[in-house]
Each structure stands twice: as structure tokens, then as C-alpha cells.
Amino acid sequence: EVQLLESGGGLVQPGGSQRLSCATSGFTFSNYAMSWVRQAPGKGLEWVSGITGSGGSTYYAGSVKGRFTISRDGSKSTLFLQMNRLRAEDTAVYYCARDLVASFGVVVNDYWGQGTLVSVSS
Amino acid sequence: DIQMTQSPSSLSASVGDRVTITCRTSQSISTYLNWYQQKPGKAPRLLIYATSSLQSGAPSRFSGSGSGTDFTLSISSLQPEDFASYYCQQTFNTPYTFGQGTRLEI
């Protein structure tokens, strides 16, 4: 059974840092790209960042580029999101999701974690 | 970045109704369009991928169509469990962007 479990959320001051983790199981971690998606309270979904299965390529939304860093540890089957210079507008539930290349080469997020809440406030 | 315009933002309907949600993209994305359902306090769930392919386990009353820049999600006969929020997502280019969402209410 595929499982993704996020951790590391909490209250952080503006300008501070936080590191999120996503522990995975039930699939061969290195075979899949992974993504982080966030959702501000009462708002819609926002794709934040992605990383290839090898970790060799990373991608970011413009709103977090230069402040957030995605990485992965294959030996622990764990995905990370290092968030620096946090702002109030980064307050959200952060989900990790598995990327699957489905039919016709279309990437989908087929499995999601339960999310972890990051609150940025003084 | 590819911009997504999803409409309507909210929709009131009744059990048994047929409803349609639309998603328009700022540039052509072929059929690289997915639809997700999200219920309050839960993670999103994949419903439709590659515009019109039904995800395993998703009910057949859900269907998708379109290509290029205009896409639709249809629910043929609303069931009580379908009242939720729905999001389109393009995975043609990074950043993979989502529509603003449609809240489907009774």
C-alpha cells in the first residue's frame, strides 16, 4: 500500500525557516518524481515544487523560487522541502504527492499525503 | 507560466442533476489536463487524467473532454458524495498549475 506521511509543520515567525519531510512507503521511491502542493486556508491548490526520481532536476513555482529547496533521500525514501525567508502568505497546508506518468505521457499526482500545516506569524 | 481559468467558482445543484465545470488555459496544452476532487479536510483525489481518462475507482458518472485550451468536467447524475470542490491541473509545463477551484454545493 502506497503511503505518504508529511511532518515538520508548525508555527514559524516571518523571515524564519522550516523543513518539511514526507516519508514514503509501498513503492520504489527512486522510480518516481515527487511534488509539493500547498493550500492556504480557505483557498485553492498551488503547486509549489517538483523533483525528478533521481533528484537531478528540480522545479519551483515563481512564488517560492530562491526561498524554497526541494530534495530527496533515496536511502530513507523521504522527500524534503526546506523553506527559508518565510512570509505570511506561505501559511498553508503542505501536501506531498507522487508524480505518475500516466497514459499519453501525462503526469498526474496519484497519491497524496494528509498534509502538514505551516503557519507563518509573529 | 500557464494560467488556468476555471468556472464557475461555485455551483449549487441537486441530487440527480447533470453539471459541467469548465477550465480554460492561457496556451494550448494538448490533452495534459487532469481533474481532482477534494472534500473538506482531506487531500485531493485524482478523478480524470489526460483530459478524458477515468482514474481507477472513480465512478463512471464523471467524464472529461476537450483539447488545446478548453476543457470540461461533467458529472452525469449528482450523488450526495459528489458535493465537494473540483480542481483542474495542467501538467504540460512546469510549474504545474491548478485552476482556482469549483465548489459544488447542494
Side-chain angles (χ1 to χ4, degrees):
Chain A
E1 180 190 7
V2 172
Q3 293 190 331
L4 295 84
L5 183 63
E6 302 95 339
S7 60
L11 178 63
V12 60
Q13 291 193 337
S17 298
Q18 196 85 340
R19 188 194 198 202
L20 305 183
S21 299
C22 172
T24 74
S25 62
F27 64 101
T28 303
F29 184 62
S30 60
N31 287 353
Y32 292 86
M34 300 290 294
S35 292
W36 287 98
V37 176
R38 69 183 180 183
Q39 186 169 36
K43 302 298 183 181
L45 302 171
E46 180 185 15
W47 182 89
V48 172
S49 183
I51 186 169
T52 55
S54 67
S57 295
T58 57
Y59 309 91
Y60 299 94
S63 58
V64 306
K65 199 167 190 177
R67 299 188 299 123
F68 290 12
T69 302
I70 190 172
S71 62
R72 60 194 297 158
D73 183 338
S75 68
K76 297 180 180 178
S77 297
T78 300
L79 177 72
F80 301 101
L81 186 68
Q82 176 67 44
M83 304 184 294
N84 298 331
R85 305 202 309 272
L86 283 161
R87 307 165 179 166
E89 54 265 35
D90 296 317
T91 294
V93 173
Y94 285 74
Y95 296 99
C96 64
R98 190 179 80 166
D99 290 7
L100 172 71
V101 180
S103 305
F104 315 108
V106 177
V107 174
V108 301
N109 298 125
D110 63 339
Y111 285 94
W112 297 65
Q114 86 293 344
T116 187
L117 176 63
V118 174
S119 295
V120 183
S121 175
S122 56
Chain B
D1 297 1
I2 296 174
Q3 308 304 314
M4 312 288 286
T5 304
Q6 188 175 336
S7 61
S9 57
S10 65
L11 177 58
S12 294
S14 301
V15 172
D17 284 353
R18 177 182 176 87
V19 298
T20 298
I21 298 168
T22 65
C23 184
R24 177 165 289 175
T25 60
S26 60
Q27 68 182 73
S28 177
I29 61 167
S30 182
T31 57
Y32 287 68
L33 194 285
N34 308 315
W35 291 96
Y36 298 83
Q37 177 192 66
Q38 186 182 33
K39 295 185 177 179
K42 300 294 188 182
R45 167 197 176 196
L46 178 65
L47 279 179
I48 300 282
Y49 64 93
T51 298
S52 59
S53 295
L54 192 67
Q55 173 68 353
S56 176
S60 59
R61 61 183 177 272
F62 290 93
S63 63
S65 64
S67 69
T69 61
D70 293 291
F71 303 88
T72 61
L73 171 71
S74 297
I75 311 172
S76 60
S77 178
L78 278 172
Q79 298 301 301
E81 60 268 30
D82 300 336
F83 292 93
S85 293
Y86 294 85
Y87 295 90
C88 57
Q89 177 202 39
Q90 68 79 20
T91 57
F92 182 76
N93 271 341
T94 57
Y96 296 152
T97 40
F98 288 91
Q100 302 94 321
T102 295
R103 184 175 178 180
L104 180 52
E105 302 172 320
I106 300 174

